[in-house]
């Protein structure tokens, strides 16, 4: 996997309108892992994509009436089968973190890359998702060396009390060991 001009090779491109330019001197130095499923707890379908593209049908599901107006995006989305979809080039700011801070620095969207995993806090992620997440993380670290192992966090870490994802079902030890084993950090 490689990154060229902010785009990840092999990812399906679906540009989101919910992104803007980073400050000219800002390179990503934080990776944030999230989870999402729409409707909540259901997998497959194109509702997550529609949310990030601004085309979610508020009438399709009662929960969608609450969120269809949101202007949110992530850089990348990894489906349960491993399909990788990219909504925002890594060089631009996606709107995934919301009110957030990391090590005293606020507005994490300004300096982070957001990866959404199709899942919930309590549903184990698939082996394929871990494989794709590891590969894309390694490509991101190669392109943005400031993203060290200690600068890979969950949404819950940058928005404690407000967010819980990627949840207890995410195996941080497995993910970090795989990165260390294959990169040698």
């Amino acid at each position: 996997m490689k990154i060229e001009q902010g785009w990840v090779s092999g990812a399906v491109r679906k540009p989101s309108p919910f992104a803007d330019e980073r400050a000219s001197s800002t390179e990503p130095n934080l990776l944030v892992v999230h989870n999402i499923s729409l409707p909540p707890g259901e997998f497959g379908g194109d509702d997550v994509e529609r949310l990030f593209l601004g085309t979610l049908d508020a009438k399709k599901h009662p929960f969608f009436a609450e969120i269809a107006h949101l202007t949110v995006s992530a850089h990348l989305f990894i489906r349960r089968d491993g399909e990788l979809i990219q909504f925002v080039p890594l060089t631009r700011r996606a709107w995934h973190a919301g009110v957030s801070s990391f090590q005293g620095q606020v507005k994490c969207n300004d300096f982070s890359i957001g990866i959404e995993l199709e899942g919930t806090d309590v549903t184990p992620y698939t082996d394929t998702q871990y494989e794709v997440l590891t590969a894309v993380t390694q490509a991101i670290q190669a392109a943005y060396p400031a993203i060290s192992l200690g600068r890979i966090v969950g949404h819950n870490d940058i928005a404690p009390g407000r967010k819980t994802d990627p949840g207890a079902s995410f195996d941080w030890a497995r993910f970090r060991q795989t990165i260390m084993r294959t990169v040698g950090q």
Side-chain angles (χ1 to χ4, degrees):
M1 212 172 277
K2 294 186 184 202
I3 297 171
E4 294 180 16
Q5 298 180 326
W7 293 100
V8 178
S9 65
V12 175
R13 293 184 190 183
K14 295 191 176 188
S16 172
F18 306 132
D20 56 9
E21 297 303 318
R22 295 184 191 274
S24 61
S25 62
T26 303
E27 276 214 350
N29 61 35
L30 182 69
L31 180 66
V32 182
V33 179
H34 303 259
N35 76 35
I36 189 169
S37 61
L38 291 176
E42 294 183 26
F43 308 130
D46 63 357
D47 295 318
V48 171
E49 294 170 49
R50 289 186 176 280
L51 176 66
F52 294 156
L53 296 173
T55 61
L56 186 65
D57 180 358
K59 297 175 187 169
K60 183 177 176 186
H61 186 277
F63 181 67
F64 294 176
E66 299 175 33
I67 64 168
H69 70 283
L70 297 176
T71 54
V72 296
S73 61
H75 290 93
L76 299 158
F77 175 51
I78 303 173
R79 291 185 166 283
R80 298 197 63 81
D81 65 3
E83 180 183 26
L84 181 63
I85 301 171
Q86 186 164 4
F87 296 96
V88 178
L90 306 182
T91 53
R92 298 192 70 196
R93 177 173 45 198
W95 303 345
H96 62 94
V99 177
S100 54
S101 68
F102 182 73
Q103 296 182 346
Q105 193 174 2
V106 297
K107 298 182 180 178
C108 293
N109 284 337
D110 292 350
F111 56 93
S112 68
I113 293 171
I115 300 177
E116 294 274 1
L117 299 173
E118 186 175 33
T120 70
D121 288 4
V122 297
T123 305
Y125 297 93
T126 68
D127 291 339
T128 303
Q129 284 179 298
Y130 283 107
E131 291 166 13
V132 173
L133 179 60
T134 297
V136 77
T137 298
Q138 291 170 337
I140 289 168
Q141 288 181 303
Y144 302 101
I147 301 177
S148 63
L149 201 55
R151 296 189 66 84
I152 300 172
V153 299
H155 199 187
N156 61 303
D157 296 313
I158 63 168
R162 188 175 70 81
K163 294 295 181 177
T164 58
D165 57 314
S169 63
F170 187 74
D171 190 342
W172 281 105
R174 172 185 179 175
F175 175 53
R176 289 191 169 135
Q177 287 171 356
T178 303
I179 291 172
M180 290 188 315
R181 184 172 47 250
T182 55
V183 174
Q185 287 189 354

